Amino acid sequence: MKKVIGLSSNISYLTSKQKTMHEDLLLILGLLLVVMLLVMLAQRIKIAYPIFLVLAGLGISLIPGVPVLKLDPEIIFLIFLPPLLYEAAWYTSWNDFWKWKRTIGLLAFGLVFLTSIVVAFASQALIPGFTLAMGFLLGGIVSPPDAIAATTVLKGLKVPKRTIAMLEGESLINDASSLIVFRFALAAVMTGVFSMQEATGQFFLVAGMGVVVGIAVAHIFYAIHRFLPTTPAIDAALTVMTPYVLFLSAEHFHFSGVMAVVSGGLFMSFRSHEIFKTGTTRINMTGVWNTLIFVMNALVFVLIGLELPDIVDGLGETSVMDGIKYGLIISLIVIVVRMLWIYPVAHIPRWLSKKVRKDPSPGWKNPLIIGWAGMRGVVSLATALSIPVMMNEQSEFPHRNLIIFITFVVIFVTLVFQGLTLPLIIKLTKIGEIDNILPSHEQQANIQIRLDNLAVNRLNEKYQSNLETNSLVENFKHTIENDILQQQGHLESLEMCTNRRNDLNEYHEIMLDIFALQRKELFKIKRENQFSEDEVRKAESQLDLNELKITGTKHL
């Protein structure tokens, strides 16, 4: 009888545990569905989805009965941060990064340190009971702008390539510098001891060794991809594993996991042509990463909004109005400091160096856009949440909840206010391309001509006998030669239409209309069941590639 009762209680326990797991899974799936619907709505009303998701998350959190979500900062750092940084590093142009390294370094390191210092002294003077060490802690949290928010807002807007390169380059390494400032400030608050000399030395050690670990681990994955018999699916899976291994390896030795991910991502991206040799591998990997990054980005921004009730509940003795006041003042400080820093960074090197003056001047418009694109995001919130609750067994960490609340206000103000006004500023300034860069379609045509000429020369030099005996090879050569003539004619037409851009826009509209019609025809062909579905899919893929030549690679 006792055995039966024991078995019954175990079944009951398992059923209860199972029910809880099902409820948690249902909540996650429901949240994902809501996020997808919100992103579609954001696209419809033409608002950058990070801004819209934060607002929506805030609105949802105010609905009575909605479960309060508590973000675990370890999950944010470990689950979300490595792949987001790795993807950003992967798609960053190494040539652009190196070309604008001076400006990127002054933004990612100089501006982070300056912002931390100004916020530290301002918050010490502004907030009762705030020490200078706590001020540096807050400064390290709110100093790094969020790359995802900026690049998402700028997608589809006509901004110079230089602007995008600088913002992406800055975002790759400013997280590392801000997190190191945070780490030393946290140690100062906890121990009451701070040495500038020791902190400076530790900074270079932590960041530098993070780079070393990142490149070392990246070489291991490079060897696996290149020398082992991987498949497209295995390659895609390995690329998802890589950022986590990079991050954890560096953090294990107490070095910068962020710098490890960034350096490893840049290395793997630079050598990608050697390790991903087939189109299937690249297409498969692109599909996996586009989906993964989209879901992560969307979830992170809606979670920021959903976190507010828990943050407000934790304010304790500080009133919400005081918290908002402090947050607004700190928001104003970080915006003003960035705007004041960006113009000297853009122009003083030109006054001092003849080499820098060879590049076209950025004027006043480009620094304005870069300065106004300093929106804060998930890294700031996750860093704030990672502050320990207790100093020791007897005392709580001072002003922890207030720091988190101020961080939320800074994120909200910079993301919503600057994010919504940034497209308007771009429109009013009517900024054009600064550097002498060919339009994308002209670059593609010139690249294709070079590739086709290379193919024709190889056929003539190595496969002349095959051209005479194999009609398929001969037809291939004729196809390439015709393609060369077509691309050259296309470039000549573009030169004639330089002052008649309406012709080009009209051409694009006509081609997109034809592609849409062809897509409908392919759907009919599929339903008729006369051809293999595989062949229809190939035709669809080719149609997609043709359309991308006009629309570009716009994706979320």
Side-chain angles (χ1 to χ4, degrees), residues 261-293:
V261 173
V262 169
S263 57
L266 286 171
F267 173 82
M268 293 293 285
S269 175
F270 188 72
R271 308 298 288 271
S272 61
H273 64 286
E274 299 176 17
I275 54 180
F276 304 127
K277 296 179 180 178
T278 67
T280 305
T281 299
R282 284 188 294 274
I283 291 171
N284 189 49
M285 191 179 70
T286 301
V288 168
W289 273 92
N290 282 350
T291 304
L292 176 67
I293 296 303

Coordinates of all heavy atoms in Angstrom, one line a residue, residues 261-293:
V261 N 35.1 37.5 -29.3 CA 34.1 37.3 -30.3 C 34.3 38.2 -31.5 O 34.2 37.7 -32.6 CB 32.7 37.5 -29.7 CG1 31.6 37.4 -30.8 CG2 32.4 36.4 -28.6
V262 N 34.6 39.4 -31.2 CA 34.8 40.4 -32.3 C 36.0 40.0 -33.2 O 35.9 40.0 -34.4 CB 34.9 41.8 -31.8 CG1 35.4 42.8 -32.8 CG2 33.6 42.3 -31.2
S263 N 37.1 39.8 -32.5 CA 38.4 39.5 -33.2 C 38.2 38.1 -34.0 O 38.6 38.0 -35.2 CB 39.6 39.4 -32.3 OG 39.4 38.5 -31.3
G264 N 37.6 37.1 -33.3 CA 37.4 35.8 -34.0 C 36.4 36.0 -35.2 O 36.6 35.4 -36.2
G265 N 35.4 36.8 -35.0 CA 34.4 37.0 -36.1 C 35.0 37.7 -37.3 O 34.8 37.3 -38.4
L266 N 35.9 38.7 -37.0 CA 36.5 39.4 -38.1 C 37.5 38.4 -38.9 O 37.6 38.5 -40.1 CB 37.3 40.6 -37.6 CG 36.5 41.8 -37.2 CD1 37.4 42.8 -36.5 CD2 35.8 42.4 -38.4
F267 N 38.2 37.6 -38.1 CA 39.2 36.6 -38.7 C 38.4 35.6 -39.6 O 38.8 35.4 -40.7 CB 39.9 35.9 -37.6 CG 40.8 34.8 -38.2 CD1 42.0 35.1 -38.7 CD2 40.3 33.5 -38.2 CE1 42.8 34.0 -39.2 CE2 41.1 32.4 -38.7 CZ 42.4 32.7 -39.2
M268 N 37.3 35.0 -39.1 CA 36.6 34.0 -39.8 C 35.9 34.7 -41.0 O 35.9 34.0 -42.1 CB 35.5 33.4 -38.9 CG 36.1 32.6 -37.8 SD 36.9 31.1 -38.4 CE 35.5 30.1 -38.8
S269 N 35.4 35.9 -40.9 CA 34.8 36.5 -42.0 C 35.9 36.8 -43.1 O 35.6 36.6 -44.3 CB 34.2 37.9 -41.6 OG 33.7 38.6 -42.7
F270 N 37.0 37.2 -42.7 CA 38.1 37.5 -43.7 C 38.5 36.3 -44.5 O 38.9 36.4 -45.6 CB 39.3 38.2 -43.0 CG 40.4 38.7 -43.9 CD1 40.2 39.8 -44.6 CD2 41.6 38.0 -44.0 CE1 41.2 40.3 -45.5 CE2 42.6 38.5 -44.9 CZ 42.4 39.7 -45.6
R271 N 38.5 35.1 -43.8 CA 38.9 33.9 -44.4 C 37.8 33.0 -45.0 O 38.0 31.9 -45.3 CB 39.7 33.0 -43.4 CG 40.9 33.8 -42.7 CD 41.9 34.2 -43.7 NE 42.7 33.2 -44.2 CZ 43.9 32.7 -43.7 NH1 44.3 33.2 -42.5 NH2 44.5 31.7 -44.2
S272 N 36.6 33.6 -45.0 CA 35.4 32.8 -45.3 C 35.4 32.2 -46.7 O 34.9 31.1 -47.0 CB 34.1 33.6 -45.2 OG 34.1 34.7 -46.0
H273 N 36.1 32.9 -47.7 CA 36.1 32.4 -49.0 C 37.0 31.1 -49.1 O 36.8 30.3 -50.1 CB 36.7 33.4 -49.9 CG 38.2 33.8 -49.6 ND1 38.5 34.5 -48.5 CD2 39.3 33.4 -50.2 CE1 39.8 34.7 -48.5 NE2 40.4 34.0 -49.5
E274 N 37.8 30.8 -48.1 CA 38.6 29.6 -48.1 C 37.9 28.5 -47.5 O 38.2 27.3 -47.8 CB 39.9 29.9 -47.3 CG 40.8 31.0 -47.9 CD 42.0 31.3 -47.0 OE1 42.4 30.4 -46.2 OE2 42.6 32.3 -47.2
I275 N 37.0 28.7 -46.6 CA 36.4 27.6 -45.8 C 35.0 27.3 -46.3 O 34.5 26.2 -46.1 CB 36.4 27.9 -44.3 CG1 35.7 29.3 -44.0 CG2 37.8 27.9 -43.8 CD1 35.7 29.6 -42.5
F276 N 34.3 28.3 -46.9 CA 32.9 28.0 -47.4 C 33.0 28.1 -48.9 O 32.7 29.1 -49.5 CB 31.9 29.0 -46.8 CG 31.9 29.0 -45.3 CD1 32.0 30.2 -44.6 CD2 31.7 27.9 -44.6 CE1 32.0 30.2 -43.2 CE2 31.7 27.9 -43.2 CZ 31.9 29.1 -42.5
K277 N 33.3 27.0 -49.5 CA 33.6 27.0 -51.0 C 32.4 26.7 -51.9 O 32.5 26.9 -53.1 CB 34.7 25.9 -51.2 CG 36.0 26.3 -50.5 CD 37.1 25.2 -50.8 CE 38.4 25.6 -50.1 NZ 39.4 24.6 -50.3
T278 N 31.3 26.3 -51.3 CA 30.1 26.0 -52.2 C 29.0 26.9 -51.9 O 28.8 27.5 -50.8 CB 29.6 24.5 -51.9 OG1 29.1 24.5 -50.6 CG2 30.7 23.5 -52.1
G279 N 28.2 27.2 -53.0 CA 27.1 28.1 -52.8 C 26.0 27.6 -51.9 O 25.4 28.3 -51.1
T280 N 25.9 26.2 -51.8 CA 24.9 25.6 -50.9 C 25.2 25.9 -49.5 O 24.4 26.2 -48.7 CB 24.9 24.1 -51.1 OG1 24.6 23.8 -52.5 CG2 23.8 23.4 -50.3
T281 N 26.5 25.8 -49.2 CA 27.0 26.1 -47.8 C 26.7 27.6 -47.4 O 26.1 27.8 -46.3 CB 28.5 25.9 -47.7 OG1 28.7 24.5 -47.9 CG2 29.0 26.2 -46.2
R282 N 27.0 28.5 -48.3 CA 26.8 29.9 -48.0 C 25.3 30.3 -47.9 O 24.9 31.0 -47.0 CB 27.5 30.8 -49.1 CG 29.0 30.8 -48.9 CD 29.6 31.8 -49.8 NE 29.5 31.4 -51.2 CZ 30.3 30.6 -51.9 NH1 31.4 30.2 -51.3 NH2 30.1 30.3 -53.1
I283 N 24.5 29.7 -48.8 CA 23.1 30.0 -48.8 C 22.4 29.4 -47.5 O 21.6 30.1 -46.8 CB 22.4 29.5 -50.0 CG1 22.8 30.3 -51.3 CG2 20.9 29.5 -49.9 CD1 22.3 29.7 -52.6
N284 N 22.8 28.2 -47.2 CA 22.3 27.6 -46.0 C 22.7 28.3 -44.7 O 21.9 28.6 -43.8 CB 22.9 26.1 -45.9 CG 22.2 25.3 -44.8 OD1 21.0 25.3 -44.7 ND2 23.0 24.7 -44.0
M285 N 24.0 28.8 -44.6 CA 24.4 29.5 -43.5 C 23.8 30.8 -43.4 O 23.4 31.3 -42.3 CB 25.9 29.7 -43.6 CG 26.6 30.2 -42.3 SD 28.4 30.4 -42.5 CE 28.4 31.8 -43.6
T286 N 23.6 31.5 -44.5 CA 22.9 32.8 -44.5 C 21.5 32.7 -44.0 O 21.0 33.5 -43.2 CB 22.9 33.4 -45.9 OG1 24.2 33.6 -46.3 CG2 22.2 34.8 -45.9
G287 N 20.8 31.7 -44.4 CA 19.4 31.4 -44.0 C 19.3 31.2 -42.5 O 18.5 31.8 -41.8
V288 N 20.2 30.4 -42.0 CA 20.2 30.1 -40.5 C 20.5 31.3 -39.7 O 19.8 31.6 -38.7 CB 21.3 29.0 -40.2 CG1 21.6 28.9 -38.7 CG2 20.9 27.6 -40.8
W289 N 21.5 32.1 -40.1 CA 21.9 33.3 -39.3 C 20.9 34.4 -39.4 O 20.6 35.1 -38.5 CB 23.3 33.8 -39.8 CG 24.3 33.0 -39.0 CD1 25.0 31.9 -39.4 CD2 24.8 33.4 -37.7 NE1 25.9 31.5 -38.4 CE2 25.8 32.4 -37.4 CE3 24.6 34.4 -36.8 CZ2 26.5 32.5 -36.2 CZ3 25.3 34.5 -35.6 CH2 26.2 33.5 -35.3
N290 N 20.3 34.6 -40.6 CA 19.3 35.6 -40.7 C 18.1 35.4 -39.8 O 17.6 36.3 -39.1 CB 18.7 35.7 -42.2 CG 19.7 36.4 -43.1 OD1 20.6 37.0 -42.7 ND2 19.4 36.3 -44.4
T291 N 17.7 34.1 -39.7 CA 16.6 33.8 -38.8 C 17.0 33.9 -37.4 O 16.2 34.5 -36.5 CB 16.1 32.3 -39.1 OG1 15.8 32.2 -40.5 CG2 14.9 32.0 -38.3
L292 N 18.1 33.4 -37.0 CA 18.6 33.4 -35.6 C 18.7 34.8 -35.1 O 18.2 35.2 -34.0 CB 19.9 32.7 -35.5 CG 20.6 32.7 -34.1 CD1 19.8 31.9 -33.2 CD2 22.1 32.1 -34.3
I293 N 19.4 35.7 -35.9 CA 19.6 37.1 -35.4 C 18.4 37.9 -35.4 O 18.1 38.7 -34.5 CB 20.7 37.7 -36.4 CG1 22.0 37.0 -36.3 CG2 20.8 39.2 -36.0 CD1 22.6 37.0 -34.9

